[in-house]
Amino acid sequence: MTGVLHLQSRAYPLHHHSPDPSLDVVTVPGYGDLRPVAGELGSLAYNPDATIEIDLTGAVNPVIDLPGTEIVACHARILSAGTVLVVYALRHETDLRSLPLPELDALDAKVNRILREADAPILSAVLAAAVGSGLISGLALRPDLALGGDRSPIDRQSARYNAHFVTQDPPWTADPRVPLLAAGPDCRILLPYTYAWDHDPATPLADLLTMTEPADIAVSQQSLLVGALVAGRWVLADLARGHPESADVHAFRRFLDGLWADFHHLDGYRIESTQAHRATYLAARETIGLDDTQERADKLLGYVSNSLLAASSQRTEALDNRLNRVAAALTVVSAASFGLDIAVFVLPQVSLGTKLAVVAGLIGMAVSFLVVAILPRSSWSRHRRAPAPPAAVRSRVPAPASAADPLPEPAVAPDGP
Protein backbone atom coordinates (compact mmCIF):
# COMPACT_ATOMS: atom_id res chain seq x y z
CA MET A 1 0.00 0.00 0.00
CA THR A 2 1.22 3.50 -0.88
CA GLY A 3 1.83 6.47 1.35
CA VAL A 4 -1.53 8.14 0.60
CA LEU A 5 -4.53 7.79 2.89
CA HIS A 6 -7.81 8.24 1.01
CA LEU A 7 -10.68 9.54 3.18
CA GLN A 8 -14.26 9.68 1.94
CA SER A 9 -16.66 11.64 4.17
CA ARG A 10 -20.29 11.08 3.18
CA ALA A 11 -22.95 13.34 4.76
CA TYR A 12 -26.50 12.05 5.24
CA PRO A 13 -29.19 14.58 6.26
CA LEU A 14 -31.05 13.03 9.18
CA HIS A 15 -33.05 15.46 11.31
CA HIS A 16 -33.23 14.21 14.88
CA HIS A 17 -33.03 15.38 18.45
CA SER A 18 -29.69 15.95 20.13
CA PRO A 19 -27.76 12.74 20.81
CA ASP A 20 -28.76 10.91 23.95
CA PRO A 21 -26.07 11.09 26.63
CA SER A 22 -26.68 7.45 27.63
CA LEU A 23 -24.47 5.36 25.35
CA ASP A 24 -25.63 1.77 25.63
CA VAL A 25 -24.60 -1.04 23.33
CA VAL A 26 -26.60 -1.06 20.08
CA THR A 27 -27.39 -4.52 18.75
CA VAL A 28 -27.74 -4.61 14.96
CA PRO A 29 -29.34 -7.87 13.75
CA GLY A 30 -26.95 -9.63 11.43
CA TYR A 31 -24.02 -7.30 12.16
CA GLY A 32 -23.34 -7.75 15.88
CA ASP A 33 -23.06 -5.21 18.67
CA LEU A 34 -21.92 -1.63 18.23
CA ARG A 35 -20.48 0.44 21.07
CA PRO A 36 -21.06 4.18 20.57
CA VAL A 37 -18.74 6.57 22.36
CA ALA A 38 -19.10 10.26 23.11
CA GLY A 39 -17.05 12.74 21.10
CA GLU A 40 -17.07 16.33 19.93
CA LEU A 41 -16.04 18.52 17.03
CA GLY A 42 -12.39 19.20 17.78
CA SER A 43 -12.10 22.21 15.48
CA LEU A 44 -14.34 24.52 17.53
CA ALA A 45 -12.68 27.28 19.51
CA TYR A 46 -15.66 28.41 21.60
CA ASN A 47 -18.70 26.29 22.40
CA PRO A 48 -18.12 22.52 22.10
CA ASP A 49 -20.52 20.53 19.95
CA ALA A 50 -21.15 16.93 20.96
CA THR A 51 -21.01 13.98 18.61
CA ILE A 52 -21.53 10.23 18.87
CA GLU A 53 -18.82 8.11 17.29
CA ILE A 54 -19.57 4.55 16.13
CA ASP A 55 -16.91 2.24 14.69
CA LEU A 56 -18.43 0.35 11.74
CA THR A 57 -15.20 -1.27 10.52
CA GLY A 58 -16.12 -4.72 11.79
CA ALA A 59 -19.56 -4.50 10.15
CA VAL A 60 -18.47 -3.37 6.67
CA ASN A 61 -15.21 -5.31 6.16
CA PRO A 62 -16.79 -8.79 5.83
CA VAL A 63 -19.42 -7.48 3.40
CA ILE A 64 -17.63 -5.00 1.11
CA ASP A 65 -15.04 -6.21 -1.36
CA LEU A 66 -12.85 -3.59 -3.04
CA PRO A 67 -10.18 -5.19 -5.23
CA GLY A 68 -6.85 -3.46 -4.75
CA THR A 69 -8.17 -1.38 -1.86
CA GLU A 70 -8.01 -1.91 1.90
CA ILE A 71 -10.68 -0.48 4.19
CA VAL A 72 -8.56 0.73 7.09
CA ALA A 73 -11.53 2.08 9.07
CA CYS A 74 -15.17 3.10 8.76
CA HIS A 75 -16.69 5.46 11.30
CA ALA A 76 -20.15 6.97 11.69
CA ARG A 77 -20.20 10.40 13.29
CA ILE A 78 -23.64 11.47 14.50
CA LEU A 79 -23.65 15.26 14.79
CA SER A 80 -26.03 17.07 17.09
CA ALA A 81 -27.23 19.13 14.11
CA GLY A 82 -29.14 16.25 12.53
CA THR A 83 -26.45 14.98 10.17
CA VAL A 84 -24.58 11.69 10.06
CA LEU A 85 -21.07 11.59 8.58
CA VAL A 86 -19.94 8.17 7.36
CA VAL A 87 -16.14 8.30 6.94
CA TYR A 88 -14.07 5.63 5.17
CA ALA A 89 -10.29 5.47 5.46
CA LEU A 90 -8.84 3.62 2.45
CA ARG A 91 -5.44 2.57 1.17
CA HIS A 92 -4.88 1.61 -2.46
CA GLU A 93 -2.34 -0.67 -4.08
CA THR A 94 -2.16 1.86 -6.92
CA ASP A 95 0.32 4.67 -6.33
CA LEU A 96 -2.10 7.60 -6.15
CA ARG A 97 0.75 10.11 -6.23
CA SER A 98 1.52 9.10 -9.82
CA LEU A 99 -2.03 9.66 -11.05
CA PRO A 100 -3.01 12.91 -12.74
CA LEU A 101 -5.94 14.75 -11.22
CA PRO A 102 -8.63 13.51 -13.71
CA GLU A 103 -7.66 9.86 -13.09
CA LEU A 104 -7.52 10.44 -9.35
CA ASP A 105 -11.02 11.91 -9.46
CA ALA A 106 -12.33 9.00 -11.57
CA LEU A 107 -10.88 6.46 -9.12
CA ASP A 108 -12.47 8.26 -6.19
CA ALA A 109 -15.90 8.34 -7.90
CA LYS A 110 -15.72 4.63 -8.78
CA VAL A 111 -14.86 3.66 -5.20
CA ASN A 112 -17.66 5.82 -3.85
CA ARG A 113 -20.26 4.18 -6.13
CA ILE A 114 -19.19 0.73 -5.00
CA LEU A 115 -19.26 1.69 -1.33
CA ARG A 116 -22.67 3.36 -1.55
CA GLU A 117 -24.25 0.32 -3.15
CA ALA A 118 -22.58 -2.13 -0.78
CA ASP A 119 -23.14 -0.37 2.55
CA ALA A 120 -26.76 0.73 1.99
CA PRO A 121 -28.33 -2.28 3.82
CA ILE A 122 -25.76 -1.97 6.62
CA LEU A 123 -26.47 1.72 7.22
CA SER A 124 -30.24 1.12 7.09
CA ALA A 125 -29.93 -1.64 9.71
CA VAL A 126 -27.70 0.53 11.91
CA LEU A 127 -30.12 3.45 11.72
CA ALA A 128 -33.12 1.26 12.58
CA ALA A 129 -31.23 -0.22 15.52
CA ALA A 130 -30.13 3.23 16.72
CA VAL A 131 -33.73 4.47 16.64
CA GLY A 132 -35.01 1.31 18.34
CA SER A 133 -32.45 1.57 21.14
CA GLY A 134 -33.18 5.27 21.76
CA LEU A 135 -29.74 6.44 20.65
CA ILE A 136 -31.49 8.61 18.03
CA SER A 137 -34.99 9.99 18.53
CA GLY A 138 -37.41 12.47 17.02
CA LEU A 139 -36.63 11.73 13.37
CA ALA A 140 -38.10 14.12 10.78
CA LEU A 141 -37.43 12.38 7.49
CA ARG A 142 -38.08 13.52 3.96
CA PRO A 143 -41.79 13.10 3.10
CA ASP A 144 -41.11 10.21 0.70
CA LEU A 145 -38.96 8.28 3.17
CA ALA A 146 -40.06 6.08 6.04
CA LEU A 147 -38.54 3.81 8.64
CA GLY A 148 -40.90 0.99 7.69
CA GLY A 149 -41.62 -0.69 4.39
CA ASP A 150 -39.36 -1.48 1.47
CA ARG A 151 -37.87 1.99 1.07
CA SER A 152 -34.71 2.77 2.98
CA PRO A 153 -34.77 5.73 5.37
CA ILE A 154 -31.17 6.49 4.38
CA ASP A 155 -31.42 9.56 2.17
CA ARG A 156 -28.97 8.41 -0.49
CA GLN A 157 -30.31 10.83 -3.11
CA SER A 158 -29.43 13.85 -0.98
CA ALA A 159 -26.09 12.60 0.36
CA ARG A 160 -22.95 14.40 -0.81
CA TYR A 161 -19.38 13.43 -0.01
CA ASN A 162 -15.89 14.85 0.22
CA ALA A 163 -12.69 13.16 -0.95
CA HIS A 164 -9.56 13.84 1.12
CA PHE A 165 -6.11 12.66 0.02
CA VAL A 166 -3.67 12.83 2.92
CA THR A 167 0.01 12.63 2.03
CA GLN A 168 3.16 14.59 2.66
CA ASP A 169 3.93 17.17 -0.02
CA PRO A 170 0.93 16.37 -2.30
CA PRO A 171 1.97 16.37 -5.97
CA TRP A 172 -1.36 17.42 -7.49
CA THR A 173 -2.15 20.93 -8.64
CA ALA A 174 -5.61 22.43 -8.35
CA ASP A 175 -7.92 22.42 -11.34
CA PRO A 176 -7.68 25.83 -13.10
CA ARG A 177 -11.48 26.25 -12.83
CA VAL A 178 -11.29 26.26 -9.03
CA PRO A 179 -11.16 29.85 -7.71
CA LEU A 180 -8.03 30.92 -5.90
CA LEU A 181 -9.10 30.94 -2.27
CA ALA A 182 -7.05 31.14 0.90
CA ALA A 183 -7.74 27.83 2.62
CA GLY A 184 -6.28 26.84 5.94
CA PRO A 185 -2.74 25.54 6.37
CA ASP A 186 -1.89 22.15 4.84
CA CYS A 187 -5.09 22.23 2.73
CA ARG A 188 -5.29 22.50 -1.07
CA ILE A 189 -8.66 22.45 -2.84
CA LEU A 190 -8.14 20.39 -6.00
CA LEU A 191 -11.77 20.27 -7.18
CA PRO A 192 -15.13 20.98 -5.59
CA TYR A 193 -15.50 18.28 -2.90
CA THR A 194 -11.87 17.12 -3.43
CA TYR A 195 -8.99 18.14 -1.14
CA ALA A 196 -5.29 17.38 -0.74
CA TRP A 197 -3.78 17.60 2.75
CA ASP A 198 -0.07 17.99 3.41
CA HIS A 199 0.01 15.77 6.46
CA ASP A 200 1.44 12.47 7.66
CA PRO A 201 -1.05 9.74 6.64
CA ALA A 202 -0.01 7.68 9.67
CA THR A 203 -1.57 10.26 12.01
CA PRO A 204 -4.30 8.79 14.26
CA LEU A 205 -7.69 8.82 12.54
CA ALA A 206 -9.31 10.99 15.23
CA ASP A 207 -6.82 13.79 14.52
CA LEU A 208 -7.34 13.46 10.76
CA LEU A 209 -11.11 13.72 11.20
CA THR A 210 -10.62 16.93 13.17
CA MET A 211 -8.39 18.25 10.38
CA THR A 212 -11.04 17.57 7.70
CA GLU A 213 -13.99 18.84 9.77
CA PRO A 214 -14.29 22.27 8.08
CA ALA A 215 -14.86 20.80 4.61
CA ASP A 216 -17.12 18.08 6.04
CA ILE A 217 -19.29 20.64 7.82
CA ALA A 218 -19.73 22.49 4.52
CA VAL A 219 -20.72 19.32 2.67
CA SER A 220 -23.14 18.47 5.50
CA GLN A 221 -24.91 21.77 4.93
CA GLN A 222 -24.98 21.09 1.20
CA SER A 223 -26.60 17.69 1.84
CA LEU A 224 -29.26 19.32 4.02
CA LEU A 225 -30.15 21.77 1.24
CA VAL A 226 -30.15 19.09 -1.47
CA GLY A 227 -32.52 17.07 0.70
CA ALA A 228 -34.80 20.10 0.91
CA LEU A 229 -34.75 20.52 -2.88
CA VAL A 230 -35.58 16.84 -3.40
CA ALA A 231 -38.42 17.00 -0.89
CA GLY A 232 -39.81 20.18 -2.47
CA ARG A 233 -39.80 18.63 -5.95
CA TRP A 234 -41.47 15.50 -4.59
CA VAL A 235 -44.30 17.49 -2.99
CA LEU A 236 -44.83 19.63 -6.10
CA ALA A 237 -44.96 16.56 -8.36
CA ASP A 238 -47.54 14.97 -6.05
CA LEU A 239 -49.69 18.10 -6.11
CA ALA A 240 -49.37 18.40 -9.89
CA ARG A 241 -50.66 14.83 -10.34
CA GLY A 242 -53.78 15.72 -8.40
CA HIS A 243 -52.98 13.80 -5.22
CA PRO A 244 -52.91 16.52 -2.55
CA GLU A 245 -54.20 14.13 0.10
CA SER A 246 -50.78 12.41 0.24
CA ALA A 247 -49.01 15.72 0.94
CA ASP A 248 -49.14 16.08 4.71
CA VAL A 249 -48.81 19.79 5.43
CA HIS A 250 -47.85 19.31 9.06
CA ALA A 251 -45.27 16.58 8.32
CA PHE A 252 -43.66 18.79 5.69
CA ARG A 253 -43.63 21.74 8.09
CA ARG A 254 -41.86 19.61 10.73
CA PHE A 255 -39.36 18.50 8.10
CA LEU A 256 -38.63 22.12 7.14
CA ASP A 257 -38.33 23.18 10.77
CA GLY A 258 -35.72 20.49 11.33
CA LEU A 259 -33.96 21.37 8.09
CA TRP A 260 -33.48 25.07 8.82
CA ALA A 261 -32.68 24.48 12.49
CA ASP A 262 -29.91 22.02 11.56
CA PHE A 263 -28.62 24.17 8.69
CA HIS A 264 -28.22 27.28 10.84
CA HIS A 265 -26.76 25.21 13.67
CA LEU A 266 -24.00 24.10 11.30
CA ASP A 267 -23.76 27.61 9.85
CA GLY A 268 -22.52 28.80 13.23
CA TYR A 269 -19.26 26.98 12.44
CA ARG A 270 -17.96 30.13 10.74
CA ILE A 271 -17.87 31.99 14.03
CA GLU A 272 -17.28 29.07 16.42
CA SER A 273 -14.29 27.41 14.75
CA THR A 274 -10.61 28.29 15.06
CA GLN A 275 -9.01 30.69 12.61
CA ALA A 276 -7.28 28.01 10.50
CA HIS A 277 -10.34 25.78 10.29
CA ARG A 278 -12.58 28.77 9.58
CA ALA A 279 -10.53 29.68 6.52
CA THR A 280 -10.88 26.15 5.13
CA TYR A 281 -14.62 26.15 5.86
CA LEU A 282 -15.24 29.45 4.06
CA ALA A 283 -13.16 28.37 1.07
CA ALA A 284 -14.92 25.01 0.89
CA ARG A 285 -18.43 26.45 1.01
CA GLU A 286 -17.59 28.97 -1.72
CA THR A 287 -16.08 26.28 -3.94
CA ILE A 288 -19.15 24.01 -3.74
CA GLY A 289 -21.57 26.95 -4.22
CA LEU A 290 -23.34 26.57 -0.87
CA ASP A 291 -24.81 30.09 -0.85
CA ASP A 292 -26.32 29.59 -4.31
CA THR A 293 -27.88 26.30 -3.20
CA GLN A 294 -29.35 28.01 -0.14
CA GLU A 295 -30.93 30.70 -2.30
CA ARG A 296 -32.46 28.12 -4.66
CA ALA A 297 -33.79 26.06 -1.76
CA ASP A 298 -35.31 29.13 -0.12
CA LYS A 299 -37.20 30.09 -3.31
CA LEU A 300 -38.42 26.57 -4.04
CA LEU A 301 -39.58 25.89 -0.50
CA GLY A 302 -41.46 29.20 -0.43
CA TYR A 303 -43.31 28.17 -3.60
CA VAL A 304 -44.04 24.72 -2.13
CA SER A 305 -45.44 26.27 1.04
CA ASN A 306 -47.84 28.43 -0.99
CA SER A 307 -48.96 25.41 -3.03
CA LEU A 308 -49.56 23.36 0.10
CA LEU A 309 -51.62 26.16 1.64
CA ALA A 310 -53.72 26.39 -1.54
CA ALA A 311 -54.25 22.62 -1.57
CA SER A 312 -55.19 22.67 2.10
CA SER A 313 -57.71 25.46 1.47
CA GLN A 314 -59.20 23.46 -1.40
CA ARG A 315 -59.59 20.37 0.80
CA THR A 316 -61.20 22.50 3.52
CA GLU A 317 -63.67 23.99 1.04
CA ALA A 318 -64.61 20.54 -0.27
CA LEU A 319 -65.11 19.30 3.30
CA ASP A 320 -67.33 22.28 4.12
CA ASN A 321 -69.47 21.57 1.05
CA ARG A 322 -69.90 17.94 2.09
CA LEU A 323 -70.80 18.96 5.62
CA ASN A 324 -73.36 21.44 4.28
CA ARG A 325 -74.96 18.74 2.13
CA VAL A 326 -75.09 16.37 5.08
CA ALA A 327 -76.72 19.08 7.21
CA ALA A 328 -79.30 19.72 4.48
CA ALA A 329 -80.02 16.00 4.26
CA LEU A 330 -80.54 15.77 8.00
CA THR A 331 -82.92 18.73 7.79
CA VAL A 332 -84.94 16.98 5.08
CA VAL A 333 -85.11 13.78 7.13
CA SER A 334 -86.25 15.69 10.19
CA ALA A 335 -88.93 17.50 8.15
CA ALA A 336 -90.16 14.19 6.72
CA SER A 337 -90.36 12.67 10.17
CA PHE A 338 -92.29 15.70 11.41
CA GLY A 339 -94.62 15.39 8.40
CA LEU A 340 -95.32 11.76 9.20
CA ASP A 341 -96.16 12.67 12.79
CA ILE A 342 -98.61 15.34 11.56
CA ALA A 343 -100.21 12.91 9.10
CA VAL A 344 -100.75 10.31 11.77
CA PHE A 345 -102.21 12.91 14.12
CA VAL A 346 -104.48 14.65 11.56
CA LEU A 347 -105.72 11.52 9.78
CA PRO A 348 -106.32 9.01 12.55
CA GLN A 349 -109.60 7.58 11.16
CA VAL A 350 -108.86 7.26 7.46
CA SER A 351 -108.47 4.01 5.62
CA LEU A 352 -105.24 2.08 5.44
CA GLY A 353 -104.86 2.87 1.71
CA THR A 354 -104.99 6.61 2.35
CA LYS A 355 -102.42 6.34 5.12
CA LEU A 356 -100.13 4.30 2.87
CA ALA A 357 -100.51 6.85 0.08
CA VAL A 358 -99.64 9.72 2.42
CA VAL A 359 -96.66 7.86 3.87
CA ALA A 360 -95.41 6.87 0.42
CA GLY A 361 -95.74 10.45 -0.83
CA LEU A 362 -93.83 11.85 2.12
CA ILE A 363 -91.11 9.22 1.77
CA GLY A 364 -90.79 9.91 -1.97
CA MET A 365 -90.56 13.63 -1.35
CA ALA A 366 -87.90 13.08 1.33
CA VAL A 367 -85.87 10.80 -0.92
CA SER A 368 -86.03 13.33 -3.76
CA PHE A 369 -84.80 16.13 -1.51
CA LEU A 370 -82.05 13.84 -0.15
CA VAL A 371 -80.77 13.09 -3.64
CA VAL A 372 -80.71 16.77 -4.55
CA ALA A 373 -79.07 17.76 -1.25
CA ILE A 374 -76.42 15.06 -0.99
CA LEU A 375 -75.23 14.65 -4.57
CA PRO A 376 -72.80 17.32 -5.78
CA ARG A 377 -74.28 19.77 -8.23
CA SER A 378 -71.82 18.74 -10.92
CA SER A 379 -73.10 15.13 -10.90
CA TRP A 380 -76.63 16.00 -11.99
CA SER A 381 -76.18 19.33 -13.76
CA ARG A 382 -74.11 17.70 -16.48
CA HIS A 383 -77.14 15.62 -17.48
CA ARG A 384 -79.23 18.67 -18.21
CA ARG A 385 -79.79 19.18 -21.92
CA ALA A 386 -78.03 22.16 -23.43
CA PRO A 387 -80.48 24.77 -24.82
CA ALA A 388 -80.92 25.02 -28.58
CA PRO A 389 -79.25 27.99 -30.30
CA PRO A 390 -81.48 31.03 -30.98
CA ALA A 391 -83.36 31.32 -34.27
CA ALA A 392 -81.17 34.24 -35.37
CA VAL A 393 -78.09 32.05 -35.03
CA ARG A 394 -79.72 29.18 -36.89
CA SER A 395 -80.68 31.50 -39.74
CA ARG A 396 -77.02 32.46 -40.27
CA VAL A 397 -75.90 28.87 -40.68
CA PRO A 398 -75.80 28.03 -44.44
CA ALA A 399 -77.68 24.99 -45.58
CA PRO A 400 -75.55 22.13 -46.90
CA ALA A 401 -75.11 22.23 -50.66
CA SER A 402 -76.51 19.36 -52.70
CA ALA A 403 -74.45 17.39 -55.12
CA ALA A 404 -76.10 19.18 -58.08
CA ASP A 405 -75.19 22.67 -56.93
CA PRO A 406 -72.15 24.11 -58.72
CA LEU A 407 -69.08 24.93 -56.65
CA PRO A 408 -68.64 28.64 -55.93
CA GLU A 409 -65.98 30.53 -57.84
CA PRO A 410 -62.85 31.16 -55.79
CA ALA A 411 -62.26 34.72 -54.73
CA VAL A 412 -59.49 36.53 -56.57
CA ALA A 413 -57.36 38.87 -54.52
CA PRO A 414 -56.72 42.30 -56.00
CA ASP A 415 -53.32 43.07 -57.36
CA GLY A 416 -50.99 44.64 -54.83
CA PRO A 417 -47.41 45.74 -54.48
Side-chain angles (χ1 to χ4, degrees):
M1 297 293 175
T2 61
V4 178
L5 187 65
H6 180 192
L7 299 177
Q8 285 192 353
S9 303
R10 207 183 313 157
Y12 288 100
L14 188 68
H15 311 291
H16 55 75
H17 290 167
S18 298
D20 196 317
S22 61
L23 301 173
D24 298 328
V25 175
V26 177
T27 301
V28 184
Y31 300 101
D33 295 338
L34 302 177
R35 300 183 180 277
V37 297
E40 64 179 19
L41 296 181
S43 56
L44 297 180
Y46 300 98
N47 300 310
D49 202 353
T51 64
I52 294 178
E53 311 286 332
I54 304 178
D55 188 356
L56 300 178
T57 310
V60 301
N61 258 329
V63 179
I64 300 177
D65 182 24
L66 283 172
T69 302
E70 175 193 359
I71 299 178
V72 179
C74 177
H75 280 231
R77 310 189 70 194
I78 304 175
L79 308 185
S80 61
T83 308
V84 177
L85 285 169
V86 178
V87 184
Y88 280 91
L90 310 167
R91 290 191 183 275
H92 302 272
E93 291 180 353
T94 305
D95 185 5
L96 300 185
R97 296 177 60 92
S98 64
L99 297 179
L101 184 57
E103 295 183 18
L104 185 70
D105 179 61
L107 173 66
D108 170 68
K110 178 182 177 181
V111 170
N112 183 259
R113 283 194 298 268
I114 296 174
L115 290 177
R116 289 180 66 177
E117 291 296 330
D119 66 15
I122 303 175
L123 298 182
S124 296
V126 170
L127 175 59
V131 172
S133 65
L135 184 65
I136 296 177
S137 61
L139 289 180
L141 297 171
R142 238 174 52 197
D144 57 332
L145 298 174
L147 278 176
D150 298 333
R151 294 176 299 180
S152 170
I154 296 295
D155 191 358
R156 294 178 58 192
Q157 189 175 2
S158 304
R160 294 295 181 270
Y161 80 98
N162 281 332
H164 306 283
F165 297 96
V166 183
T167 185
Q168 291 180 332
D169 191 18
W172 309 285
T173 57
D175 188 279
R177 293 167 295 182
V178 175
L180 295 177
L181 300 170
D186 305 329
C187 178
R188 185 185 306 164
I189 302 179
L190 303 177
L191 288 165
Y193 307 100
T194 306
Y195 306 85
W197 298 87
D198 187 1
H199 209 78
D200 185 1
T203 304
L205 183 60
D207 296 335
L208 294 179
L209 296 183
T210 299
M211 179 183 69
T212 60
E213 274 175 3
D216 293 341
I217 293 298
V219 83
S220 297
Q221 290 183 278
Q222 186 81 316
S223 297
L224 290 173
L225 295 179
V226 172
L229 292 172
V230 172
R233 293 197 303 266
W234 180 85
V235 172
L236 284 181
D238 209 37
L239 293 174
R241 295 188 185 100
H243 303 291
E245 63 279 356
S246 61
D248 190 339
V249 178
H250 300 294
F252 190 69
R253 177 187 57 80
R254 290 193 298 271
F255 170 78
L256 292 184
D257 289 344
L259 162 76
W260 291 120
D262 292 334
F263 178 84
H264 289 290
H265 185 142
L266 293 174
D267 206 53
Y269 190 88
R270 70 175 79 203
I271 58 177
E272 296 285 343
S273 56
T274 62
Q275 293 289 349
H277 290 91
R278 186 181 309 153
T280 302
Y281 167 74
L282 294 176
R285 66 177 291 148
E286 184 171 347
T287 304
I288 64 177
L290 184 61
D291 293 329
D292 177 66
T293 308
Q294 181 183 0
E295 183 179 357
R296 289 171 49 219
D298 200 10
K299 291 181 179 179
L300 177 65
L301 295 178
Y303 184 84
V304 173
S305 298
N306 293 335
S307 297
L308 282 175
L309 289 176
S312 179
S313 300
Q314 185 179 5
R315 289 198 298 267
T316 302
E317 181 180 356
L319 179 60
D320 290 342
N321 291 335
R322 287 197 296 269
L323 291 176
N324 290 335
R325 290 196 298 270
V326 170
L330 292 176
T331 302
V332 171
V333 171
S334 299
S337 176
F338 184 66
L340 287 176
D341 292 339
I342 292 177
V344 172
F345 178 77
V346 174
L347 304 172
Q349 303 298 329
V350 298
S351 63
L352 179 60
T354 304
K355 289 183 179 181
L356 292 177
V358 172
V359 171
L362 288 174
I363 292 177
M365 181 183 65
V367 170
S368 301
F369 278 115
L370 281 175
V371 170
V372 174
I374 293 179
L375 290 181
R377 181 173 297 273
S378 59
S379 63
W380 53 269
S381 62
R382 68 168 64 99
H383 299 294
R384 296 172 60 185
R385 187 174 182 179
V393 175
R394 291 197 302 270
S395 65
R396 292 196 296 267
V397 178
S402 63
D405 292 338
L407 294 175
E409 294 293 333
V412 178
D415 294 337

